[in-house]
Amino acid sequence: MRDFIVTVNSTVDMPKEWLKERNVPVIPLKYTIDGETYADMEGLSAKEFFAKLREGKMSVTSQVNPDEAKEMLEVFVKEGKDILHLGFSSGLSGTYNSMRIAAEELSEEYSDTKIIVIDTLCACMGEGLLLHKVLQLKEEGKTLDEIAKWVEENKLHICHNVTVDDLNHLHRGGRISKATAVLGTMVQIKPIIHVDNDGKLQVIGKERGRKRSLNKIVDRAVEQAKGWENDLVMVTHGDCIEDAEYVAGLVREKMGVDNILINNIGTVIGSHTGPGVVAVFSMGEKR
């Protein structure tokens, strides 16, 4: 059986050290802010990045193109490895399609290589949670095909529960109207958002006040997780660690899960959510 490697896009938003320890190569998207372009996970620190957003600076993101994807994947093909790539949701970016095109071209050029590119329909640490499960299966000795089959059967069981602090970023991304953003900000309305089965962000509710919105995303995760074992729950945040730790405490209390990974949201996804975003990622019956 040929050796295979698992690759991801930078939108997994996992700690760089975590990925390095597990030998997971990252294919980055890019962002441009204040006239400078950076690779996601590189350049500005989370604090520097979100400080610029709070100052009113705009961050514009760009997807991976097929040539970039091919160049990065070909390195592993030349090493004689097959590849399982967990792609950023096609509902949020054209990156998955670029990865798929690159895989097809490489498969034609290297006929003895197997490259499977999966549209995870996940984002942020939802992708990270899926990666965690995949690495567990690889450690257990599962084959590339067995793991790919498991991912396709289980990716919609990765639940994303999100709230944001500033509605204006959602307006810029076309998720809500300007009037809704202005009015909601005035009366402290905080949206509840999830990633649906098409891998798209959807506003599915609203709460009055920050604390209630943080409670709500955990309550949704609790309900979804009934009957499911969660060995790890992930929490991301946009430079608001106190709120993330509050949410982690609720997860421990209400879900009975002690293994919680907290990390700053990445610069690409953070460009669209803005500072103050908090999200919980767990496995459950349905999104």
Side-chain angles (χ1 to χ4, degrees):
M1 183 176 69
R2 282 167 59 99
D3 188 22
F4 70 93
I5 194 162
V6 181
T7 63
V8 295
N9 292 117
S10 59
T11 47
V12 291
D13 288 352
M14 298 292 284
K16 286 189 282 188
E17 299 78 11
W18 190 97
L19 294 163
K20 187 175 181 181
E21 285 171 7
R22 291 158 179 81
N23 191 32
V24 178
V26 176
I27 299 174
L29 283 72
K30 294 186 177 71
Y31 66 103
T32 301
I33 189 169
D34 221 8
E36 298 288 338
T37 298
Y38 307 95
D40 194 14
M41 300 179 109
E42 302 297 338
L44 301 175
S45 69
K47 284 209 169 291
E48 290 169 332
F49 175 74
F50 286 114
K52 286 183 179 291
L53 292 189
R54 289 185 175 110
E55 291 166 6
K57 300 286 175 58
M58 289 284 292
S59 176
V60 178
T61 62
S62 55
Q63 65 191 46
V64 176
N65 67 47
D67 289 339
E68 292 169 333
K70 184 177 179 180
E71 180 181 354
M72 297 195 74
L73 291 178
E74 191 168 20
V75 172
F76 309 111
V77 173
K78 287 181 175 179
E79 293 175 356
K81 293 177 180 174
D82 291 336
I83 300 171
L84 174 63
H85 179 77
L86 302 178
F88 183 28
S89 172
S90 63
L92 297 171
S93 171
T95 292
Y96 160 72
N97 198 44
S98 294
M99 302 303 306
R100 182 187 59 76
I101 292 169
E104 288 176 359
E105 291 181 0
L106 287 169
S107 294
E108 290 177 3
E109 295 172 23
Y110 300 86
S111 58
D112 59 340
T113 298
K114 176 175 286 190
I115 306 174
I116 299 177
V117 177
I118 294 179
D119 180 1
T120 66
L121 301 175
C122 292
C124 194
M125 293 179 86
E127 290 175 74
L129 184 55
L130 197 60
L131 171 63
H132 163 69
K133 296 294 184 181
V134 162
L135 294 177
Q136 285 183 329
L137 293 171
K138 189 173 188 289
E139 186 70 22
E140 291 170 11
K142 301 294 185 184
T143 66
L144 173 59
D145 288 323
E146 287 172 334
I147 295 174
K149 182 174 184 289
W150 184 93
V151 172
E152 290 291 2
E153 291 172 349
N154 287 275
K155 63 189 183 184
L156 294 182
H157 292 299
I158 303 290
C159 302
H160 308 56
N161 290 291
V162 188
T163 188
V164 299
D165 197 39
D166 184 349
L167 292 167
N168 290 301
H169 291 278
L170 285 179
H171 162 59
R172 291 189 198 114
R175 296 296 166 191
I176 59 175
S177 69
K178 182 170 181 59
T180 299
V182 171
L183 181 60
T185 300
M186 287 173 59
V187 297
Q188 283 294 295
I189 292 296
K190 307 298 180 185
I192 306 300
I193 303 163
H194 85 147
V195 173
D196 66 15
N197 288 350
D198 294 322
K200 298 178 180 179
L201 282 175
Q202 298 292 346
V203 179
I204 55 172
K206 56 188 178 183
E207 295 290 330
R208 179 73 63 84
R210 178 69 161 174
K211 190 63 67 73
R212 290 181 66 175
S213 70
L214 296 176
N215 291 340
K216 183 65 174 181
I217 60 174
V218 176
D219 288 344
R220 279 184 49 82
V222 170
E223 189 64 28
Q224 291 161 334
K226 286 180 178 176
W228 284 72
E229 290 291 331
N230 273 284
D231 66 318
L232 174 64
V233 171
M234 299 190 181
V235 177
T236 194
H237 66 98
D239 193 31
C240 52
I241 185 63
E242 296 84 1
D243 288 340
E245 288 173 344
Y246 171 76
V247 164
L250 290 178
V251 168
R252 291 188 185 94
E253 174 191 338
K254 296 185 175 186
M255 297 182 71
V257 179
D258 288 323
N259 191 17
I260 302 170
L261 177 59
I262 300 175
N263 195 44
N264 256 303
I265 201 165
T267 40
V268 163
I269 295 183
S271 297
H272 301 281
T273 63
V277 61
V278 179
V280 180
F281 306 91
S282 56
M283 294 200 73
E285 183 57 31
K286 62 179 183 179
R287 292 182 169 181

